[in-house]
Amino acid sequence: MVMVGKTTERIVATVLMYLAVVVVMAATLFPLVWMFITSFKKETDVLTFPPTFVFEPTFDNFIYAFTKSKPPLSLALTNSLIIGACTVALVVPISALAAYSFARFNVGGGHLQFYILTVKMFPAIAAIIPYFIIFRELGLLDHVLSLIILNTLFNLPFAIWLLFGFFREIPQDLEESAMIEGCSKFGAFRDIVLPLIAPGLAVTAIFSTIFTWNEFLFAFILSRARAVTAPVAVAGFWTQRGILWGPLSAAATICIVPMFIFALLIQRYIVRGLTFGAVK
Amino acid sequence: MKIDKEKYMPWIMASPALAIVFSLTLYPLFYSLYVSTRSFELTALWKDAFIGIENYRRALNSDLFFWSSLLKTILYALGCLSLEMPLGLGVAFLLNRAIKGRRVVRTILALPMVAAPVAVGLTWRYMYHHEFGVFNYFVRLLGITPPGWLTNLNFAMISVIIFDVWQWTPFVALVLLAGLQSLSPEPYESATIYGASMWQKFRYITLPSIRSLMTIVALLRLIDLLKLYDAVYALTRGGPGIATEVLTWYLYKIGFKFWWLGYASAIALMFQYLVIILSVITIEKMAKL
Amino acid sequence: MSSERTKMETAILALVIIAILISAGTLFYVMSIVGQLTPLAAIPEGLAELTAAERDLAKALADLGVDIAAIEERLEKVEEAVKPPPPTPTPPSAKKVVWATIAGFYSDWAEAISKDFTAKTGIEVEVVDIDYGLLYEREGLEMAGKTGAFDIITIETLWLPEWAAAGFLEPLNDYIAKTPAEEIEFDDFEEFLAMQLSWKGNVFGLPYYTFAMGVFYRADLFEDPDIKALYYEKYGRELRTPNHEMDWDEFYDIVKFFDEDVDDSIVPYGVGMMAGRFPHIADEWMAMLWGLGGDHFHDDWSIAVNDPIGVDAMTRYVKFLKHAPPGALESGYDAVVAQFQEGLVPVTMAFYLDQWPNVVKTEELIPGAKVGVDTPVGGLGYQGCFALGMCADSKNKDATWEFLKWLAGPEGQYSFAKGGGSSCRKSVLLNSEFATAESRPFTGHFKALHETFELMEGLPKPYIFSLPEAGKLYVEMMIHCSLAATGTVDPKTAMDLLADSYATILGWYPSLSPPEDWVPPE
């Protein structure tokens, strides 16, 4: 009797569990699927009462998004990719070095580290004018470089914080023994510790990429025509007809694709990587 | 030479980060401080004059909209956080089991964060629309009078919260999932032998272990929630009325529609101070859990 | 050993990522080039222009064995021979003009006309598209920062005093004086609009695109005999179509009628309103305020929004809202167009006439529907426009002026109208070419548009358009109208709060024009 009860219990539990997973997946996906569907709708099918579920699909929105959008979507995507790649290439090494120095040597006694965190707290809106002035003086307005620099700055607090946690997880013995044998501090860092937190580096990389990819405010302010990024281009679909939901959804769908592929490749590192930094 | 390099190596390692951070943040900070004591209006430069703490005084004493937006920001942040943390933890627990297709599920969970906030926000706005939105379509099918998601004064904030929860709970879930997966099974096994219930296992084994991780996540979310802008921009623009006018939105109006940079800087600096205080409080609170 | 493998893995992963990024980037670069080379399936040139009658004629001639193509060829050769040589373009002082305009608003026309201009004068034009919601900030920032990035900018009438006072815009009087009259035809601009574009005696912008307000209605419903009979029964009056001769009371009766008395299967609600927190709600309210005889300020510049008329306007607005779809509170102009197209509303409040090409599509979507357009109820709406102005720190002022007068000139405006744009020139609006049945889907509203302006001829400039703070006041209007519309506060309180905020804005950093001797900083 008891055994039968236990098995039934387990089956019910398993079914409920999978049901819960399905519900979570559905809730997560529904808006995105809706956006995806909208990108195939004709203009008159979009704002209807009641909403249209069955309709004649069309590719026009995608064609429109690529050829007729100004600023051109392809340029925006390329810029976003360049900015993302360069930002990550800068953020990861710089934050790794800094986080290591904070974790192992307590550079600045914790105050410098806290200052870096407060960078994140300042409302961006109030910072726009000073940055506008800075980059104007440097002649870097509407240039990809200014966005790379700013995005590096914005991602450093998060990256340093995260990697700090990872470094703290690793016992110091390995480095100490290495240094006794004559290894330099930097050598110990590069050869011993860094490989151990490679997953942590991957995590920092992907989240920095995501945040840079989605950054809107500064990309909009500091770009005109040449340095526009994907979110700015997607926002440009407000026309005299109103919001062009079709091309907007198409553009947004296109913008998700690179990130989706990236996420797919890196996702196992996210979990494995965060594992190391987590528990204390 | 080598000895010198070794001794200062930690500082050398930290230097690129410090260089970037200091070179790019000191000027905005001092600029904001300077401008906050002046009546600086960007498109009317002849009005520029030193006025001391007048901007601060005005915001604190006479500005109803400032206080209302501050209140809304805090309500919003707490509202989202109080939903995202438990939900995220719940989803993390759910995915901690050995489920088939775990990888796919994890990737799908990451999608809301990865989609451009503006586009996704606009999609949600269109889903929330009273006549044309798909949510009300289903509500009408059930025979209930459709609510005004973005038109009802009370509902609007909730609708924005729902959007944010949808978008960022996966972040909490994924991070906490990682934490859970690194826990070793031994304490649990011994606890089962001693007849501990699920709740007791959770309370005395799991919770202490992932507390620091939960603090980090809560802190990061809190800072981002207080700085909320994209969701309001896409969904409500601060409306209906001023139901969703959070501080960053109010700041945007002051700084960019009115061009009162002096006043805006004063509010921004006060706000940053507030965020620092709230962050410290959060850390304390989580430590007591 | 495992650390070595992890290191390898990481390195390979990094290389793979970089490879993906590079190839994706290249792919997108290629697509961008290809995208520019392959236009959307374009109708062969010339064929679209033929009317049905002309097509029939061409076919008949072809049947008779007449070789039209050969004749055309010979005609062309003759024309070539007698054509005067093209004028050598006067070399401009600089070669490039940057035009900041609204993204998605007739961008096809913008591109086409820029190319025409370049072909004619050799001056290159770069068109920068900016999202309308962020246009004000973007242009303001560039001009305040003196970056010289834009040469021509798109200005909304309310922004002009502020930018003119700040010295961002170049006064155009001298340029206009230098230009031969037929190229600019200044009197051809609708007076009321041209008046709004000058400040303290100087002209700062030339109008090119107007969103002046009128009213759209479902003519088929207003002409339906059953509906007319029902209205007569309930209200004892003839059902009239809305226009400036109607007052707000009668309009309210009509709206109420359609909402409550007309069956929901025909039309469920009474009126389409843009009551969301967008600038449009302020426009609708201002139409009522002015239509009822009120204004923002008295003659002595004291604030008048919370006078009884102002409160009355707001109260009526809230009353109208009861008969609008509940989604009105989140709607902008595009949602109202959609409501109209879906047959949810029979009539709009004061609405932007430039939306005609979209609204008229209702006739395709709803069988039997006919769309009517007329002047606004009460006779006055927010009659504004987008204008083109020259930046004061433009480096190519002469070239910019050439382009400016080309865009706003009779030719440019004519091609704008052909593309469906709502022009600001009388000659274009009254052009009989645009009153034909073929042109109706694009320009059927021109007559009503012109009448709207005729109603305003001779009226003094509303006070608010002279204030540099106009832009700020406009934002406050939007917020407070939304407060009243959503019921956050009652209309009286909302107007009182609005009056307070006007006083704050105008009084806090004192509202002064720059002193005579003030020189903008470098």
Side-chain angles (χ1 to χ4, degrees), chain A residues 49 63 68 70 74 136 220-221 223-224 238-240 269, chain C residues 9 32 40 103-104 108 127 134 138 142 145 333 342 355:
Chain A
F49 180 72
I63 300 176
K68 302 257 275 173
K70 280 215 74 186
S74 36
R136 184 193 64 186
F220 174 73
I221 294 292
S223 70
R224 268 172 239 132
W238 201 316
T239 71
Q240 86 270 15
Y269 281 109
Chain C
E9 263 187 81
S32 74
L40 280 183
D108 287 346
V127 181
L134 296 158
R138 201 77 190 81
E142 292 285 345
Y333 64 88
E342 293 293 306
Q355 288 297 308

PDB file of all heavy atoms in Angstrom, chain A residues 49 63 68 70 74 136 220-221 223-224 238-240 269, chain C residues 9 32 40 103-104 108 127 134 138 142 145 333 342 355:
ATOM      1  N   PHE A  49      -9.739  44.635 -34.472  1.00  0.00           N
ATOM      2  CA  PHE A  49     -10.604  44.296 -33.344  1.00  0.00           C
ATOM      3  C   PHE A  49     -11.576  43.251 -33.808  1.00  0.00           C
ATOM      4  O   PHE A  49     -12.462  43.557 -34.599  1.00  0.00           O
ATOM      5  CB  PHE A  49     -11.349  45.551 -32.887  1.00  0.00           C
ATOM      6  CG  PHE A  49     -12.276  45.305 -31.727  1.00  0.00           C
ATOM      7  CD1 PHE A  49     -11.768  45.081 -30.465  1.00  0.00           C
ATOM      8  CD2 PHE A  49     -13.653  45.266 -31.911  1.00  0.00           C
ATOM      9  CE1 PHE A  49     -12.606  44.851 -29.402  1.00  0.00           C
ATOM     10  CE2 PHE A  49     -14.502  45.037 -30.848  1.00  0.00           C
ATOM     11  CZ  PHE A  49     -13.982  44.845 -29.587  1.00  0.00           C
ATOM     12  N   ILE A  63      11.509  42.847 -45.807  1.00  0.00           N
ATOM     13  CA  ILE A  63      12.135  43.581 -46.908  1.00  0.00           C
ATOM     14  C   ILE A  63      12.154  45.060 -46.572  1.00  0.00           C
ATOM     15  O   ILE A  63      13.160  45.746 -46.716  1.00  0.00           O
ATOM     16  CB  ILE A  63      11.367  43.339 -48.220  1.00  0.00           C
ATOM     17  CG1 ILE A  63      11.366  41.848 -48.562  1.00  0.00           C
ATOM     18  CG2 ILE A  63      11.967  44.151 -49.338  1.00  0.00           C
ATOM     19  CD1 ILE A  63      10.556  41.508 -49.777  1.00  0.00           C
ATOM     20  N   LYS A  68      14.134  49.823 -46.536  1.00  0.00           N
ATOM     21  CA  LYS A  68      13.557  51.158 -46.523  1.00  0.00           C
ATOM     22  C   LYS A  68      13.706  51.868 -45.191  1.00  0.00           C
ATOM     23  O   LYS A  68      13.300  52.985 -45.043  1.00  0.00           O
ATOM     24  CB  LYS A  68      12.059  51.102 -46.865  1.00  0.00           C
ATOM     25  CG  LYS A  68      11.781  50.471 -48.190  1.00  0.00           C
ATOM     26  CD  LYS A  68      11.466  51.470 -49.245  1.00  0.00           C
ATOM     27  CE  LYS A  68       9.984  51.804 -49.183  1.00  0.00           C
ATOM     28  NZ  LYS A  68       9.624  52.883 -50.056  1.00  0.00           N
ATOM     29  N   LYS A  70      15.261  53.967 -42.387  1.00  0.00           N
ATOM     30  CA  LYS A  70      16.381  54.885 -42.251  1.00  0.00           C
ATOM     31  C   LYS A  70      16.498  55.224 -40.802  1.00  0.00           C
ATOM     32  O   LYS A  70      15.546  55.735 -40.235  1.00  0.00           O
ATOM     33  CB  LYS A  70      16.108  56.153 -43.063  1.00  0.00           C
ATOM     34  CG  LYS A  70      16.375  56.003 -44.508  1.00  0.00           C
ATOM     35  CD  LYS A  70      16.910  57.305 -45.070  1.00  0.00           C
ATOM     36  CE  LYS A  70      18.338  57.473 -44.603  1.00  0.00           C
ATOM     37  NZ  LYS A  70      18.900  58.777 -44.983  1.00  0.00           N
ATOM     38  N   SER A  74      20.774  47.306 -41.587  1.00  0.00           N
ATOM     39  CA  SER A  74      22.004  46.535 -41.724  1.00  0.00           C
ATOM     40  C   SER A  74      23.179  47.288 -41.125  1.00  0.00           C
ATOM     41  O   SER A  74      24.027  46.713 -40.451  1.00  0.00           O
ATOM     42  CB  SER A  74      22.261  46.228 -43.188  1.00  0.00           C
ATOM     43  OG  SER A  74      21.843  47.312 -43.980  1.00  0.00           O
ATOM     44  N   ARG A 136      32.158  65.606 -27.831  1.00  0.00           N
ATOM     45  CA  ARG A 136      32.203  66.652 -28.830  1.00  0.00           C
ATOM     46  C   ARG A 136      33.593  67.238 -28.904  1.00  0.00           C
ATOM     47  O   ARG A 136      34.128  67.474 -29.979  1.00  0.00           O
ATOM     48  CB  ARG A 136      31.185  67.746 -28.500  1.00  0.00           C
ATOM     49  CG  ARG A 136      31.115  68.831 -29.560  1.00  0.00           C
ATOM     50  CD  ARG A 136      30.348  70.024 -29.076  1.00  0.00           C
ATOM     51  NE  ARG A 136      31.032  70.661 -27.950  1.00  0.00           N
ATOM     52  CZ  ARG A 136      30.519  71.658 -27.265  1.00  0.00           C
ATOM     53  NH1 ARG A 136      29.320  72.096 -27.527  1.00  0.00           N
ATOM     54  NH2 ARG A 136      31.186  72.193 -26.265  1.00  0.00           N
ATOM     55  N   PHE A 220      21.472  56.506 -28.743  1.00  0.00           N
ATOM     56  CA  PHE A 220      20.650  57.452 -29.475  1.00  0.00           C
ATOM     57  C   PHE A 220      21.244  58.850 -29.445  1.00  0.00           C
ATOM     58  O   PHE A 220      21.273  59.558 -30.441  1.00  0.00           O
ATOM     59  CB  PHE A 220      19.240  57.474 -28.877  1.00  0.00           C
ATOM     60  CG  PHE A 220      18.401  58.532 -29.485  1.00  0.00           C
ATOM     61  CD1 PHE A 220      17.927  58.386 -30.775  1.00  0.00           C
ATOM     62  CD2 PHE A 220      18.113  59.691 -28.808  1.00  0.00           C
ATOM     63  CE1 PHE A 220      17.173  59.377 -31.366  1.00  0.00           C
ATOM     64  CE2 PHE A 220      17.350  60.674 -29.390  1.00  0.00           C
ATOM     65  CZ  PHE A 220      16.884  60.521 -30.670  1.00  0.00           C
ATOM     66  N   ILE A 221      21.714  59.261 -28.269  1.00  0.00           N
ATOM     67  CA  ILE A 221      22.192  60.632 -28.136  1.00  0.00           C
ATOM     68  C   ILE A 221      23.488  60.857 -28.888  1.00  0.00           C
ATOM     69  O   ILE A 221      23.713  61.899 -29.477  1.00  0.00           O
ATOM     70  CB  ILE A 221      22.394  60.966 -26.635  1.00  0.00           C
ATOM     71  CG1 ILE A 221      21.053  60.967 -25.930  1.00  0.00           C
ATOM     72  CG2 ILE A 221      23.088  62.290 -26.469  1.00  0.00           C
ATOM     73  CD1 ILE A 221      20.160  62.095 -26.346  1.00  0.00           C
ATOM     74  N   SER A 223      24.761  59.234 -31.465  1.00  0.00           N
ATOM     75  CA  SER A 223      24.894  58.840 -32.862  1.00  0.00           C
ATOM     76  C   SER A 223      23.932  59.653 -33.702  1.00  0.00           C
ATOM     77  O   SER A 223      22.884  60.063 -33.228  1.00  0.00           O
ATOM     78  CB  SER A 223      24.585  57.357 -33.025  1.00  0.00           C
ATOM     79  OG  SER A 223      23.206  57.122 -32.816  1.00  0.00           O
ATOM     80  N   ARG A 224      24.306  59.879 -34.928  1.00  0.00           N
ATOM     81  CA  ARG A 224      23.391  60.575 -35.829  1.00  0.00           C
ATOM     82  C   ARG A 224      22.992  59.683 -36.969  1.00  0.00           C
ATOM     83  O   ARG A 224      21.862  59.296 -37.116  1.00  0.00           O
ATOM     84  CB  ARG A 224      24.046  61.826 -36.396  1.00  0.00           C
ATOM     85  CG  ARG A 224      23.789  63.059 -35.588  1.00  0.00           C
ATOM     86  CD  ARG A 224      24.617  64.206 -36.082  1.00  0.00           C
ATOM     87  NE  ARG A 224      25.489  64.723 -35.048  1.00  0.00           N
ATOM     88  CZ  ARG A 224      26.781  64.967 -35.194  1.00  0.00           C
ATOM     89  NH1 ARG A 224      27.370  64.712 -36.329  1.00  0.00           N
ATOM     90  NH2 ARG A 224      27.482  65.459 -34.200  1.00  0.00           N
ATOM     91  N   TRP A 238       8.569  54.698 -36.164  1.00  0.00           N
ATOM     92  CA  TRP A 238       7.374  55.493 -35.891  1.00  0.00           C
ATOM     93  C   TRP A 238       7.200  56.472 -37.031  1.00  0.00           C
ATOM     94  O   TRP A 238       7.980  57.379 -37.190  1.00  0.00           O
ATOM     95  CB  TRP A 238       7.586  56.245 -34.585  1.00  0.00           C
ATOM     96  CG  TRP A 238       6.324  56.681 -33.968  1.00  0.00           C
ATOM     97  CD1 TRP A 238       5.259  57.239 -34.574  1.00  0.00           C
ATOM     98  CD2 TRP A 238       5.994  56.600 -32.585  1.00  0.00           C
ATOM     99  NE1 TRP A 238       4.291  57.502 -33.658  1.00  0.00           N
ATOM    100  CE2 TRP A 238       4.714  57.133 -32.435  1.00  0.00           C
ATOM    101  CE3 TRP A 238       6.683  56.122 -31.458  1.00  0.00           C
ATOM    102  CZ2 TRP A 238       4.084  57.200 -31.199  1.00  0.00           C
ATOM    103  CZ3 TRP A 238       6.053  56.202 -30.242  1.00  0.00           C
ATOM    104  CH2 TRP A 238       4.762  56.739 -30.119  1.00  0.00           C
ATOM    105  N   THR A 239       6.206  56.297 -37.838  1.00  0.00           N
ATOM    106  CA  THR A 239       6.078  57.099 -39.046  1.00  0.00           C
ATOM    107  C   THR A 239       4.784  57.906 -39.008  1.00  0.00           C
ATOM    108  O   THR A 239       4.076  57.890 -38.007  1.00  0.00           O
ATOM    109  CB  THR A 239       6.033  56.202 -40.286  1.00  0.00           C
ATOM    110  OG1 THR A 239       4.764  55.538 -40.273  1.00  0.00           O
ATOM    111  CG2 THR A 239       7.134  55.180 -40.239  1.00  0.00           C
ATOM    112  N   GLN A 240       4.502  58.559 -40.119  1.00  0.00           N
ATOM    113  CA  GLN A 240       3.282  59.365 -40.143  1.00  0.00           C
ATOM    114  C   GLN A 240       2.064  58.471 -40.162  1.00  0.00           C
ATOM    115  O   GLN A 240       0.957  58.908 -39.918  1.00  0.00           O
ATOM    116  CB  GLN A 240       3.239  60.316 -41.352  1.00  0.00           C
ATOM    117  CG  GLN A 240       2.681  59.723 -42.624  1.00  0.00           C
ATOM    118  CD  GLN A 240       3.748  59.084 -43.464  1.00  0.00           C
ATOM    119  OE1 GLN A 240       4.850  58.832 -42.984  1.00  0.00           O
ATOM    120  NE2 GLN A 240       3.458  58.841 -44.716  1.00  0.00           N
ATOM    121  N   TYR A 269      27.881  27.585 -20.212  1.00  0.00           N
ATOM    122  CA  TYR A 269      28.914  28.256 -19.426  1.00  0.00           C
ATOM    123  C   TYR A 269      28.307  29.167 -18.385  1.00  0.00           C
ATOM    124  O   TYR A 269      28.874  29.385 -17.333  1.00  0.00           O
ATOM    125  CB  TYR A 269      29.822  29.081 -20.340  1.00  0.00           C
ATOM    126  CG  TYR A 269      30.831  28.238 -21.044  1.00  0.00           C
ATOM    127  CD1 TYR A 269      30.719  28.002 -22.406  1.00  0.00           C
ATOM    128  CD2 TYR A 269      31.880  27.665 -20.358  1.00  0.00           C
ATOM    129  CE1 TYR A 269      31.644  27.219 -23.048  1.00  0.00           C
ATOM    130  CE2 TYR A 269      32.807  26.881 -20.998  1.00  0.00           C
ATOM    131  CZ  TYR A 269      32.687  26.659 -22.348  1.00  0.00           C
ATOM    132  OH  TYR A 269      33.586  25.899 -22.994  1.00  0.00           O
TER     133      TYR A 269
ATOM    134  N   GLU C   9      39.588  25.160 -24.662  1.00  0.00           N
ATOM    135  CA  GLU C   9      38.164  25.304 -24.979  1.00  0.00           C
ATOM    136  C   GLU C   9      37.781  26.766 -25.073  1.00  0.00           C
ATOM    137  O   GLU C   9      37.094  27.199 -25.995  1.00  0.00           O
ATOM    138  CB  GLU C   9      37.337  24.631 -23.863  1.00  0.00           C
ATOM    139  CG  GLU C   9      36.888  23.242 -24.168  1.00  0.00           C
ATOM    140  CD  GLU C   9      35.949  22.729 -23.085  1.00  0.00           C
ATOM    141  OE1 GLU C   9      34.772  23.075 -23.126  1.00  0.00           O
ATOM    142  OE2 GLU C   9      36.432  21.990 -22.201  1.00  0.00           O
ATOM    143  N   SER C  32      23.566  45.455 -46.744  1.00  0.00           N
ATOM    144  CA  SER C  32      23.254  46.882 -46.793  1.00  0.00           C
ATOM    145  C   SER C  32      23.540  47.426 -48.172  1.00  0.00           C
ATOM    146  O   SER C  32      22.800  48.254 -48.688  1.00  0.00           O
ATOM    147  CB  SER C  32      24.074  47.634 -45.749  1.00  0.00           C
ATOM    148  OG  SER C  32      25.412  47.736 -46.171  1.00  0.00           O
ATOM    149  N   LEU C  40      12.557  48.082 -54.012  1.00  0.00           N
ATOM    150  CA  LEU C  40      11.383  47.221 -53.951  1.00  0.00           C
ATOM    151  C   LEU C  40      10.798  47.123 -55.356  1.00  0.00           C
ATOM    152  O   LEU C  40      10.944  48.030 -56.153  1.00  0.00           O
ATOM    153  CB  LEU C  40      10.324  47.822 -53.030  1.00  0.00           C
ATOM    154  CG  LEU C  40      10.545  47.616 -51.530  1.00  0.00           C
ATOM    155  CD1 LEU C  40       9.394  48.203 -50.764  1.00  0.00           C
ATOM    156  CD2 LEU C  40      10.662  46.139 -51.212  1.00  0.00           C
ATOM    157  N   ALA C 103      11.964  60.654 -38.975  1.00  0.00           N
ATOM    158  CA  ALA C 103      12.071  59.311 -39.541  1.00  0.00           C
ATOM    159  C   ALA C 103      10.697  58.819 -39.956  1.00  0.00           C
ATOM    160  O   ALA C 103       9.741  58.899 -39.210  1.00  0.00           O
ATOM    161  CB  ALA C 103      12.675  58.361 -38.509  1.00  0.00           C
ATOM    162  N   GLY C 104      10.600  58.301 -41.145  1.00  0.00           N
ATOM    163  CA  GLY C 104       9.367  57.653 -41.560  1.00  0.00           C
ATOM    164  C   GLY C 104       8.268  58.588 -42.017  1.00  0.00           C
ATOM    165  O   GLY C 104       7.209  58.135 -42.413  1.00  0.00           O
ATOM    166  N   ASP C 108      10.392  58.662 -48.386  1.00  0.00           N
ATOM    167  CA  ASP C 108      10.615  58.421 -49.822  1.00  0.00           C
ATOM    168  C   ASP C 108      10.720  59.737 -50.563  1.00  0.00           C
ATOM    169  O   ASP C 108      11.612  59.944 -51.384  1.00  0.00           O
ATOM    170  CB  ASP C 108       9.442  57.624 -50.417  1.00  0.00           C
ATOM    171  CG  ASP C 108       9.480  56.186 -49.977  1.00  0.00           C
ATOM    172  OD1 ASP C 108      10.535  55.774 -49.451  1.00  0.00           O
ATOM    173  OD2 ASP C 108       8.480  55.493 -50.146  1.00  0.00           O
ATOM    174  N   VAL C 127      20.462  63.090 -45.697  1.00  0.00           N
ATOM    175  CA  VAL C 127      19.225  63.122 -44.922  1.00  0.00           C
ATOM    176  C   VAL C 127      19.398  62.271 -43.670  1.00  0.00           C
ATOM    177  O   VAL C 127      19.701  61.097 -43.756  1.00  0.00           O
ATOM    178  CB  VAL C 127      18.048  62.584 -45.750  1.00  0.00           C
ATOM    179  CG1 VAL C 127      16.767  62.656 -44.942  1.00  0.00           C
ATOM    180  CG2 VAL C 127      17.906  63.361 -47.037  1.00  0.00           C
ATOM    181  N   LEU C 134      11.741  61.840 -30.379  1.00  0.00           N
ATOM    182  CA  LEU C 134      13.008  62.286 -29.814  1.00  0.00           C
ATOM    183  C   LEU C 134      13.606  63.422 -30.628  1.00  0.00           C
ATOM    184  O   LEU C 134      14.740  63.831 -30.407  1.00  0.00           O
ATOM    185  CB  LEU C 134      13.980  61.101 -29.773  1.00  0.00           C
ATOM    186  CG  LEU C 134      13.509  59.983 -28.841  1.00  0.00           C
ATOM    187  CD1 LEU C 134      14.148  58.665 -29.217  1.00  0.00           C
ATOM    188  CD2 LEU C 134      13.868  60.312 -27.411  1.00  0.00           C
ATOM    189  N   ARG C 138      16.976  65.792 -29.733  1.00  0.00           N
ATOM    190  CA  ARG C 138      18.126  65.564 -30.589  1.00  0.00           C
ATOM    191  C   ARG C 138      18.599  66.846 -31.230  1.00  0.00           C
ATOM    192  O   ARG C 138      19.770  67.193 -31.186  1.00  0.00           O
ATOM    193  CB  ARG C 138      17.689  64.576 -31.671  1.00  0.00           C
ATOM    194  CG  ARG C 138      18.758  63.853 -32.322  1.00  0.00           C
ATOM    195  CD  ARG C 138      19.277  62.746 -31.427  1.00  0.00           C
ATOM    196  NE  ARG C 138      20.472  62.267 -32.051  1.00  0.00           N
ATOM    197  CZ  ARG C 138      21.634  62.873 -31.926  1.00  0.00           C
ATOM    198  NH1 ARG C 138      21.746  63.933 -31.178  1.00  0.00           N
ATOM    199  NH2 ARG C 138      22.675  62.423 -32.568  1.00  0.00           N
ATOM    200  N   GLU C 142      22.035  69.113 -30.416  1.00  0.00           N
ATOM    201  CA  GLU C 142      23.075  69.411 -31.398  1.00  0.00           C
ATOM    202  C   GLU C 142      23.293  70.905 -31.522  1.00  0.00           C
ATOM    203  O   GLU C 142      24.415  71.380 -31.634  1.00  0.00           O
ATOM    204  CB  GLU C 142      22.679  68.838 -32.767  1.00  0.00           C
ATOM    205  CG  GLU C 142      22.656  67.333 -32.841  1.00  0.00           C
ATOM    206  CD  GLU C 142      24.034  66.708 -32.890  1.00  0.00           C
ATOM    207  OE1 GLU C 142      25.014  67.431 -33.145  1.00  0.00           O
ATOM    208  OE2 GLU C 142      24.136  65.502 -32.664  1.00  0.00           O
ATOM    209  N   GLY C 145      24.860  72.340 -28.397  1.00  0.00           N
ATOM    210  CA  GLY C 145      26.256  71.949 -28.317  1.00  0.00           C
ATOM    211  C   GLY C 145      27.091  72.548 -29.428  1.00  0.00           C
ATOM    212  O   GLY C 145      28.293  72.339 -29.494  1.00  0.00           O
ATOM    213  N   TYR C 333      -2.625  59.044 -32.315  1.00  0.00           N
ATOM    214  CA  TYR C 333      -3.370  59.205 -33.564  1.00  0.00           C
ATOM    215  C   TYR C 333      -3.481  57.903 -34.339  1.00  0.00           C
ATOM    216  O   TYR C 333      -4.493  57.661 -35.007  1.00  0.00           O
ATOM    217  CB  TYR C 333      -2.761  60.318 -34.416  1.00  0.00           C
ATOM    218  CG  TYR C 333      -1.360  60.069 -34.900  1.00  0.00           C
ATOM    219  CD1 TYR C 333      -1.120  59.407 -36.090  1.00  0.00           C
ATOM    220  CD2 TYR C 333      -0.270  60.510 -34.171  1.00  0.00           C
ATOM    221  CE1 TYR C 333       0.161  59.176 -36.536  1.00  0.00           C
ATOM    222  CE2 TYR C 333       1.018  60.290 -34.604  1.00  0.00           C
ATOM    223  CZ  TYR C 333       1.230  59.621 -35.787  1.00  0.00           C
ATOM    224  OH  TYR C 333       2.502  59.395 -36.203  1.00  0.00           O
ATOM    225  N   GLU C 342     -11.589  50.108 -38.143  1.00  0.00           N
ATOM    226  CA  GLU C 342     -12.277  48.911 -37.677  1.00  0.00           C
ATOM    227  C   GLU C 342     -13.751  49.165 -37.439  1.00  0.00           C
ATOM    228  O   GLU C 342     -14.456  48.301 -36.953  1.00  0.00           O
ATOM    229  CB  GLU C 342     -11.641  48.419 -36.371  1.00  0.00           C
ATOM    230  CG  GLU C 342     -10.231  47.916 -36.526  1.00  0.00           C
ATOM    231  CD  GLU C 342     -10.169  46.651 -37.337  1.00  0.00           C
ATOM    232  OE1 GLU C 342     -10.872  45.691 -36.996  1.00  0.00           O
ATOM    233  OE2 GLU C 342      -9.412  46.619 -38.321  1.00  0.00           O
ATOM    234  N   GLN C 355      -3.662  62.799 -41.860  1.00  0.00           N
ATOM    235  CA  GLN C 355      -3.859  61.357 -41.744  1.00  0.00           C
ATOM    236  C   GLN C 355      -4.863  60.839 -42.771  1.00  0.00           C
ATOM    237  O   GLN C 355      -5.182  59.655 -42.774  1.00  0.00           O
ATOM    238  CB  GLN C 355      -4.376  61.004 -40.341  1.00  0.00           C
ATOM    239  CG  GLN C 355      -3.319  61.147 -39.269  1.00  0.00           C
ATOM    240  CD  GLN C 355      -2.179  60.177 -39.503  1.00  0.00           C
ATOM    241  OE1 GLN C 355      -2.361  58.988 -39.681  1.00  0.00           O
ATOM    242  NE2 GLN C 355      -0.969  60.703 -39.525  1.00  0.00           N
TER     243      GLN C 355
END
